Amino acid sequence: MDEDSVRQTDPAVADALDGERNRQEDTLAMIASENHVSEAVLEAQGSTLTNIYAEGYPGKRYYAGCEYADDVEQLAIDRAKELWGADHVNVQPHSGSQANMGVYLAVLEPGDKILSLDLTHGGHLSHGHPANFAGQIYEVEQYEVDAETGYLDYEGLAETAAEFEPDMIVSGYSAYPREVEWERIQDVADGADAYHLADIAHITGLVAAGVHSSPVGVADFVTGSTHKTIRAGRGGVIMCDDEYADDIDSAVFPGMQGGPLMHNIAGKAVGFGEALDADFEEYAQQTVDNAAALADRLQEHGLELVSGGTDNHLVLIDLRPSHPDTPGKDVEEALEDAGIVLNANTVPGETRSAFNPSGIRAGTPGLTTRGFDEDACREVADLIYEVVDAPDDEGVIAEVSERVDELTDEYPLYDD
Ligand SMILES: *Cc1c(COP(=O)(O)O)cnc(C)c1O
C-alpha cells in the first residue's frame, strides 16, 4: 500500500486515512462485528483489480482481460470450500446483507414468507426488518429468545413455524452470545417444509476453525461475512449444496449485482489463505476464551449478561438490573471517550429505544488479533465496569483512558 501517493494528491483524504489508522492503533476495537485485517489483505484490496470488470464467473466472463481475475476468484472459492467444507461457494456478494439477498432471490418469490429472529433479540436487518428490502419484499414473522434464559426458544420457534407456515427460516444472529443448535432449527424447517438459511455472518471464523459447530451440510444455505471473526476484508459469501449452485450464482449475477468487486475478492482470497494456516484455529479459540474471561469478570463486578455468559466471541450486557438509570448510549459515548469502542445494543425485552437501548455489546475478535490474552481481557472488563459505573466522572474516564493507552502500546496493531 502506498499511502504516500494519497498524501501527495489528496492531503484531506490522507489526513483522514492517517487519523483512522491511528484511531485503530490507539483504541480498543470491541465492536463485535469488527476486526483488523493483515497488511497483506489491505494490499490485495488496494490492488489494480479495482480497475476491471469481470461480470460472470471464473472461466465464463462477459468481458475480456479476466485471466488474473479468474485466478484470484478461483483461489478464493477453493480456499473457502476447504475452510467451511462446502460443496459450492459464491464469493461475489459485496456484503453479508447481499449474500442474504442472493439466497432470497434464488429460491423465494416476492410475498413469500420468512421466519426470523426479532431484531431486538439479536436478529439482523436483512432478515426482514420493515426498514430493509427483505421486510418490504417478503412477509415476515419473528421468533424470539426465551425471556428468562436469553437462549433461543426452539419450542417457540416450532410453534410459530407451525402457525405461520414459512417458506424460509433464517437462523444466525448479530447479538446472540450462545452456540446455535443448527439441527434443531433444521428439524423445524423440515417440519414446516421450509428452506433453512443459516447466516453465520458473525461467526464465520469460529465455524471455519471448528470453535463453533457448523451449519454447512445441515442448512440448505449458509451465508457469511468475511470481515468479522475471519479477517478477509469487507464482503459476503454464500455456501450451498451443488443442487442449488446455479440458482445461487445466477441470483448473485446477473440477479442482483453487476461486476464483482475483484479487489475485495482478492482480499477474501488472501484472508481465507491466512485462515487455512494452523494458527488461525488458535486465534479463534483465543477469541472465544477471551470472551469467556471478559464475561466472567464483568459478572464478578455485578453486571448482568444476557444468557448469563457467552459461548462465542461476544457478550451482551443488560444494564437494567445493575444500572437502571444508565442508558446504553451514555455508556457507549463514555467508553469511546476512554478509548474503548463498542456499541449500545438492544436486549431481549427492550424497554428503551433502538437508538438508545438498554444494553451494550462487546466482542473480542479485534483485541485477540492484536494479541490480547485472558488476563488482558479481564483488565479490559475492569475498565469497562469502571466506566459503566461512573459514565459522567471525568476523572474515571481520564484514568481508564491512560490504562487503555498502556494496553494499546503493549499490544501494537500495525507496524508503521
Ligand atoms: C453483520 C451481519 C450481516 C452482514 O452485514 P453487512 O454489513 O451487510 O456485511 C448479516 N447478517 C448478520 C446476522 C450480521 O450480523
Side-chain angles (χ1 to χ4, degrees), residues 231-250:
R231 298 167 294 198
R234 288 215 99 70
V237 64
I238 303 175
M239 302 172 232
C240 62
D241 290 343
D242 282 328
E243 68 175 300
Y244 299 117
D246 292 344
D247 291 337
I248 287 293
D249 286 352
S250 50

Side-chain angles (χ1 to χ4, degrees), residues 4 19 122 185 189 193 287 400:
D4 288 347
I185 297 174
D193 199 18
T287 300
V400 169

